[in-house]
Amino acid sequence: MLKISTLRFGSLEKQYDPDKEYPTKDLIPKNSEQAICHSDDFESKILSGNASRDDSVNTGQLVNSTIDGLKLYEPELTRSGIGGTYFMRDASSSIVSVFKPSDEEPGSLNNPKNSISPKSGTKPGEGTSREVAAYLLDHESRACVPETVATEFMFWRGKEERKCGSLQAYVKNVGESWDMSSSRFSVEDVHNIAQLDIRIFNMDRNGGNLLVTNPENIEGFKLVPIDHTYSLPDKLDGAWFEWMYWKQAKVPISDDLLRYIRDIDIEADSEILRKLEVREECINTMRYTTTILKIGAEMGITLFDIADIICRKKDQPSALETICIQMKGIEEEYWKQFEVYVSKYIFVNYVQNK
């Protein structure tokens, strides 16, 4: 079985014991440009921007298991979704990862499902960076986004073939959230996913991309969020959160989650996104929504209320869009002024009316 033996980071090359497993933080130095894993028939390049999470399980193992399987099994196109999404197997035929090629995203020429147009504010080919971004911004693995890396597979079968895209650890599950009553999910799970969805302005948080697992070590079901291609847009008109209509969203934010939200560093998150080459206008979307999340949580409103500020109602501009329109022309200390506008809006429309 293939084991990782050489990793290259730009001009830096390191050798590893092929029979030993290494944690991701040891395999891929922070701020590395790229890492390359070689075998006789396959080469996998772990692209930039994947080294900011120190709690990753083992990126090398995820990629190597996928490469082992490619020697024996073809990628399996899934029926679900509107882009090219493939189940990848290991050498034992078990599904270990999910690969989404950038050139098969909605709107891309090689899309195998009739090249459906992307959502407003997104561009074909940007989905890979969004999938990785959701994982990297999930600090402390709070929302339990599966491990995700941007990967380029290069393999030779008569001719060289290359595919770039996101590779995500496969999650065994018992179904999707819309297969059962939302009352069976914990407040903690819903809140943890909600805060991430708000921060990345998720436009596609439907019941089909919340997997339900039944871990042996906990009582009841656990939610695992996947499919973050439609997030971090450059427009503010398309947020969609199915959890917004669940009763858990109206439960007050816990002290522990409040602590987590307070600790979110918007500037540090912005730098993570820049390393992934996310467009600056899309980074601003994250700044808008994370600012609203932080102010709203401090002022004691619920995640439902915060989502209500961000989401449109019957195609009417959201409160967030309205605030941004009102701020046109303001340049000096823009983000401080935005905080003032948001604080006033929340006080008048939510706090004062309690």
Side-chain angles (χ1 to χ4, degrees), residues 71-274:
K71 295 178 179 180
L72 301 170
Y73 304 101
E74 293 289 335
E76 178 184 336
L77 181 66
T78 66
R79 295 181 181 179
S80 61
I82 57 177
T85 302
Y86 296 85
F87 287 142
M88 312 292 278
R89 299 178 183 274
D90 64 11
S92 70
S93 81
S94 298
I95 298 174
V96 291
S97 59
V98 178
F99 183 54
K100 294 183 178 181
S102 296
D103 67 342
E104 297 186 19
E105 292 176 10
S108 297
L109 291 176
N110 292 327
N111 181 283
K113 298 175 181 176
N114 299 320
S115 191
I116 300 171
S117 298
K119 288 183 179 286
S120 173
T122 65
K123 295 181 179 181
E126 292 186 332
T128 294
S129 64
R130 273 50 178 182
E131 294 284 358
V132 176
Y135 171 68
L136 293 180
L137 295 184
D138 184 20
H139 307 301
E140 301 177 12
S141 196
R142 189 87 193 197
C144 294
V145 176
E147 185 167 17
T148 310
V149 293
T151 306
E152 180 181 27
F153 286 106
M154 293 170 280
F155 48 97
W156 290 264
R157 287 176 181 165
K159 65 176 182 177
E160 183 180 79
E161 297 181 45
R162 295 171 180 254
K163 282 287 184 180
C164 298
S166 63
L167 186 73
Q168 185 172 85
Y170 175 72
V171 177
K172 293 181 180 180
N173 61 86
V174 296
E176 299 161 344
S177 67
W178 54 20
D179 294 331
M180 57 188 71
S181 170
S182 62
S183 63
R184 305 182 75 174
F185 310 134
S186 71
V187 171
E188 181 180 15
D189 271 10
V190 174
H191 282 202
N192 286 336
I193 291 168
Q195 60 81 25
L196 178 65
D197 281 344
I198 288 169
R199 289 161 55 207
I200 64 175
F201 200 89
N202 198 335
M203 298 185 290
D204 193 32
R205 179 57 76 212
N206 59 63
N209 54 41
L210 283 173
L211 300 180
V212 181
T213 64
N214 189 14
E216 295 180 358
N217 59 335
I218 67 171
E219 183 177 347
F221 297 106
K222 185 165 186 60
L223 292 172
V224 176
I226 60 170
D227 292 345
H228 299 101
T229 294
Y230 287 136
S231 59
L232 296 169
D234 60 22
K235 295 182 180 179
L236 303 172
D237 58 3
W240 173 256
F241 314 128
E242 179 154 324
W243 50 258
M244 183 178 175
Y245 304 100
W246 297 351
K247 64 180 182 180
Q248 295 92 326
K250 295 185 177 181
V251 175
I253 293 171
S254 68
D255 290 341
D256 182 56
L257 182 56
L258 178 58
R259 184 274 310 166
Y260 178 85
I261 292 171
R262 283 173 177 164
D263 288 345
I264 294 171
D265 186 332
I266 295 177
E267 296 304 324
D269 284 356
S270 297
E271 285 304 308
I272 289 173
L273 297 182
R274 289 188 184 102

